[in-house]
Amino acid sequence: GENVEQHPSTLSVQEGDSAVIKCTYSDSASNYFPWYKQELGKRPQLIIDIRSNVGEKKDQRIAVTLNKTAKHFSLHITETQPEDSAVYFCAATLRRNYGQNFVFGPGTRLSVLP
Amino acid sequence: GAGVSQSPRYKVAKRGQDVALRCDPISGHVSLFWYQQALGQGPEFLTYFQNEAQLDKSGLPSDRFFAERPEGSVSTLKIQRTQQEDSAVYLCASSTLFKRGDYEQYFGPGTRLTVT
C-alpha cells in the first residue's frame, strides 16, 4: 500500500554538527512533501516543505532535497543547536478524488548534545 | 490569530465508555483532518471534512469511531465503547482548501486519550 519510510529512527549529533533525515515514498503521484517538528507533548509544526517541481529548498539552517525519480527526499539541518532536539516527521501527499491527503513517516528522534 | 484548538487536552476513560473529542479549526479553514498518533509513531489519517461534508473516512479503524462537522466549523470525533487499543493522541488539523493546492496543515495540540 501507500507508505512513507523514514530513517534513521533516532539520531544523536553534537551541537554544531549537521543532521540528515531521509524519507522514501511509494506513490509516484505525490507532489508535496512537508517536514514537521514535534517537541515533547506539543503539536506538530511545519518547518519546511517542497513541491515536486523543485529539487531543493533552503530556509536558513534547514534545507530539503527531493529526488522524484528515486522517490526520496531528505531534511538537512546544519549548525545544529540544542533547541533542534525534537521528533521530526516527513509526509507525502496521496491523491484522492477530493484532492489530496497526507501519509506520515514514523518519525526521527533527533538529540543535539551540547 | 488563534490557532487550532482541541478539548479536552487529556481524557481518561474506562474501557467501554463513550468519549467525544472536540476540534475548533482556524476560522475560515475549509478542510479539516483527524489523525491518531500512537506513542512513538507518526500521525495516521482517520477522516477528512471539506466544510460539513465528510469526504473520506477510510482511516477510521472501526465502526465505533464516528466524526461530524455539522456546520462546517467545529468538529467532534466520537469513540463508542472505548478499548485499550484506542489509547493515543488524537490530532486535528485544518487548512484553507486542500484540493486547490493550499496544502499546509495547521495542527491542534491534540487530545491524549487513555483507556484503562
Side-chain angles (χ1 to χ4, degrees), chain A:
Chain A
E2 300 140 338
N3 70 304
V4 173
E5 296 183 356
Q6 184 171 347
H7 299 281
S9 57
T10 60
L11 179 59
S12 293
V13 299
Q14 289 295 134
E15 183 177 357
D17 287 351
S18 296
V20 180
I21 303 170
K22 299 180 179 181
C23 288
T24 60
Y25 60 98
S26 59
D27 186 353
S28 56
S30 295
N31 64 357
Y32 173 73
F33 307 90
W35 286 89
Y36 283 84
K37 175 183 180 182
Q38 188 174 30
E39 296 177 64
L40 189 63
K42 298 196 174 177
R43 71 189 75 196
Q45 293 203 309
L46 180 72
I47 56 170
I48 197 167
D49 55 16
I50 192 168
R51 294 179 186 261
S52 59
N53 58 350
V54 175
E56 183 173 359
K57 183 177 177 180
K58 190 172 182 180
D59 182 3
Q60 299 182 347
R61 296 186 299 108
I62 296 173
V64 57
T65 59
L66 171 65
N67 183 328
K68 282 216 72 178
T69 303
K71 291 193 279 189
H72 66 70
F73 56 111
S74 300
L75 177 70
H76 305 253
I77 306 174
T78 58
E79 300 171 24
T80 53
Q81 301 167 4
E83 52 265 36
D84 295 330
S85 297
V87 179
Y88 291 82
F89 295 100
C90 61
T93 51
L94 298 175
R95 182 174 294 175
R96 292 288 182 264
N97 56 4
Y98 53 82
Q100 304 214 48
N101 202 342
F102 279 177
V103 62
F104 283 85
T108 296
R109 181 174 299 280
L110 173 64
S111 299
V112 180
L113 308 174

Side-chain angles (χ1 to χ4, degrees), chain B:
Chain B
V4 179
S5 61
Q6 292 185 245
S7 61
R9 291 294 314 278
Y10 304 92
K11 178 69 179 177
V12 178
K14 291 187 177 179
R15 186 171 173 271
Q17 281 185 330
D18 298 349
V19 298
L21 313 179
R22 177 188 170 106
C23 172
D24 282 84
I26 293 172
S27 179
H29 276 193
V30 170
S31 296
L32 186 146
F33 302 80
W34 281 99
Y35 294 90
Q36 180 188 63
Q37 186 175 26
L39 191 63
Q41 298 296 317
E44 289 201 3
F45 170 78
L46 293 177
T47 188
Y48 166 69
F49 289 87
Q50 187 171 302
N51 295 307
E52 69 279 1
Q54 188 176 21
L55 298 186
D56 190 346
K57 52 183 180 179
S58 62
L60 296 177
S62 77
D63 59 8
R64 297 185 295 104
F65 287 71
F66 172 77
E68 60 183 4
R69 193 185 185 197
E71 297 179 356
S73 55
V74 171
S75 177
T76 304
L77 176 66
K78 297 179 179 178
I79 308 173
Q80 298 177 324
R81 305 181 303 281
T82 51
Q83 304 294 316
Q84 283 195 318
E85 61 263 28
D86 300 335
S87 296
V89 174
Y90 291 85
L91 292 165
C92 173
S94 69
S95 66
T96 49
L97 180 56
F98 211 55
K99 182 177 182 179
R100 209 172 52 197
D102 300 327
Y103 295 146
E104 182 174 353
Q105 294 188 22
Y106 298 82
F107 281 86
T111 295
R112 181 177 297 279
L113 172 66
T114 303
V115 181
T116 60

